[in-house]
């Protein structure tokens, strides 16, 4: 694609962009095959812009849960057209989804955290395991500033669940850093951000935040435990195992059989990766 006109960006942020490019170059060269998991949020659009234009050796994928807002789906298509790239979409196992709906209801996740985690397990965590099965590294748009659950994250860490290196390249970026980059580089973004949605997930699980609320207050807004507002994609191995055995077992017995088979395949591949 043709280079887009770039406006001036604050000098102190230029150093962050330079460091980010250096890290992405290192990942592309030394951690292949590597993949970036994009949810098409503001942070992810910063990474996507750089990867699509300068680091094409890094794969870009997304988790299409089947419950995404139309604004996210529109941005997904617009992004692929704009950058002339293909973003691989991983979807949940149809049988697992149907069994969950049959046992818990289409929107059963409103009834308890266990049911919500069960839905996240089916629609997000299991598809992610498939996406990362043959990778050496994956990248996220996580930032420490986003939530208390992310305050102690490192720029890179070993992901024990998937047996590979996990990079959080924007870990020390601020919200202003992100939006300064988006404006300066004319990066497309989700229009929900203009309507009070700083964090965007599945449509029924996301609302606009109220003045003074935490940026992630709109995620799973019916739950009172603000310190646990994670879907499970970025939790430790022990938490992952707990969700896999408790949340789904209770509400989707057939679904867990389907997912267990996929996880077994992932574990076998991960064991081979560790041996190598």
């Amino acid at each position: 694609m043709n280079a887009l006109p770039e406006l001036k960006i604050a000098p102190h942020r230029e150093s962050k962009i330079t460091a980010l490019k250096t890290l992405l170059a290192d990942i592309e060269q030394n951690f292949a095959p590597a993949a970036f998991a994009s949810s098409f949020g503001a942070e992810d659009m910063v990474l996507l812009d750089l990867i699509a234009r300068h680091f094409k050796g890094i794969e870009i994928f997304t988790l299409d849960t089947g419950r995404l807002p139309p604004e996210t789906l529109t941005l997904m298509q617009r992004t692929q057209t704009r950058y002339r790239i293909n973003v691989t979409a991983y979807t949940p196992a149809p049988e697992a989804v149907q069994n969950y709906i049959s046992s818990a209801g289409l929107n059963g996740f409103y009834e308890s955290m266990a049911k919500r985690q069960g839905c996240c397990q089916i629609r997000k965590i299991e598809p992610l395991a498939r996406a990362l099965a043959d990778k050496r590294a994956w990248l996220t748009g996580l930032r420490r500033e986003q939530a208390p659950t992310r305050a102690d994250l490192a720029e890179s860490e070993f992901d024990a669940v998937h047996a590979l290196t996990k990079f959080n390249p924007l870990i020390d970026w601020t919200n202003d850093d992100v939006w300064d980059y988006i404006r300066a580089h004319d990066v497309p973004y989700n229009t929900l951000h203009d309507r009070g949605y700083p964090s965007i997930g599945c449509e029924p699980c996301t609302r606009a935040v109220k003045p003074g609320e935490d940026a992630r207050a709109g995620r799973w807004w019916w739950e009172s435990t603000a310190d646990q507002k994670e879907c499970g994609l970025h939790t430790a191995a022990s938490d992952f195992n707990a969700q896999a055995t408790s949340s789904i077992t209770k509400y989707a017995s057939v679904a867990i059989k389907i997912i267990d088979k996929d996880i077994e395949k992932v574990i076998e591949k991960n064991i081979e990766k560790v041996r190598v």
Side-chain angles (χ1 to χ4, degrees):
M1 62 182 288
N2 295 329
L4 297 169
E6 296 182 356
L7 305 176
K8 279 194 171 182
I9 200 164
H12 71 282
R13 291 189 175 119
E14 285 287 4
S15 62
K16 286 189 175 182
I17 295 172
T18 299
L20 176 56
K21 288 181 177 179
T22 299
L23 176 60
L24 292 175
D26 179 59
I27 295 171
E28 180 182 45
Q29 180 177 354
N30 298 313
F31 289 87
F36 165 48
S38 175
S39 66
F40 295 92
E43 293 84 0
D44 289 350
M45 292 309 299
V46 170
L47 287 173
L48 188 148
D49 177 75
L50 284 168
I51 291 171
R53 292 195 293 140
H54 304 297
F55 306 100
K56 298 181 185 296
I58 298 175
E59 177 189 332
I60 302 173
F61 73 90
T62 192
L63 303 178
D64 185 348
T65 64
R67 301 300 301 269
L68 297 178
E71 292 85 353
T72 300
L73 298 174
T74 296
L75 177 60
M76 191 185 305
Q77 184 56 53
R78 180 185 173 197
T79 296
Q80 293 183 93
T81 301
R82 160 82 172 268
Y83 293 97
R84 298 180 184 176
I85 59 173
N86 177 57
V87 177
T88 304
Y90 288 86
T91 59
E95 291 176 72
V97 171
Q98 185 56 52
N99 191 70
Y100 177 89
I101 293 173
S102 297
S103 60
L106 178 63
N107 296 324
F109 42 78
Y110 289 132
E111 297 176 9
S112 70
M113 182 178 290
K115 288 188 178 182
R116 193 269 290 174
Q117 289 175 335
C119 187
C120 290
Q121 175 77 30
I122 292 168
R123 294 183 184 274
K124 293 184 176 183
I125 297 174
E126 188 277 326
L128 177 69
R130 280 187 274 121
L132 300 180
D134 61 347
K135 302 298 185 293
R136 291 185 59 206
W138 70 298
L139 297 77
T140 81
L142 298 183
R143 297 186 296 110
R144 292 193 186 100
E145 187 186 68
Q146 289 171 328
T149 53
R150 301 175 180 183
D152 297 325
L153 291 177
E155 182 178 81
S156 65
E157 54 195 4
F158 181 70
D159 179 346
V161 173
H162 305 103
L164 76 178
T165 304
K166 178 180 179 180
F167 288 94
N168 307 306
L170 300 182
I171 196 65
D172 64 347
W173 280 45
T174 65
N175 187 61
D176 287 343
D177 291 336
V178 170
W179 284 100
D180 193 37
Y181 182 97
I182 287 174
R183 295 187 195 94
H185 297 269
D186 191 31
V187 177
Y189 63 88
N190 197 318
T191 56
L192 286 175
H193 289 308
D194 294 330
R195 307 209 297 270
Y197 290 75
S199 179
I200 304 168
C202 290
E203 184 173 34
C205 299
T206 310
R207 66 158 172 79
V209 300
K210 301 173 184 177
E213 281 189 319
D214 181 82
R216 287 178 64 81
R219 302 294 296 277
W220 309 294
W221 40 268
W222 63 93
E223 295 179 358
S224 59
T225 50
D227 60 335
Q228 296 181 34
K229 289 202 170 186
E230 295 286 354
C231 62
L233 293 177
H234 306 294
T235 53
S238 58
D239 296 329
F240 173 89
N241 291 334
Q243 287 184 13
T245 57
S246 65
S247 299
I248 300 182
T249 301
K250 188 174 181 180
Y251 300 106
S253 57
V254 174
I256 198 169
K257 293 178 182 178
I258 297 169
I259 291 173
D260 277 346
K261 291 179 181 178
D262 287 325
I263 291 177
E264 283 179 9
K265 293 177 183 177
V266 171
I267 291 174
E268 290 175 0
K269 290 184 179 180
N270 288 343
I271 291 173
E272 290 302 316
K273 284 196 288 185
V274 172
R275 285 174 177 168
V276 174

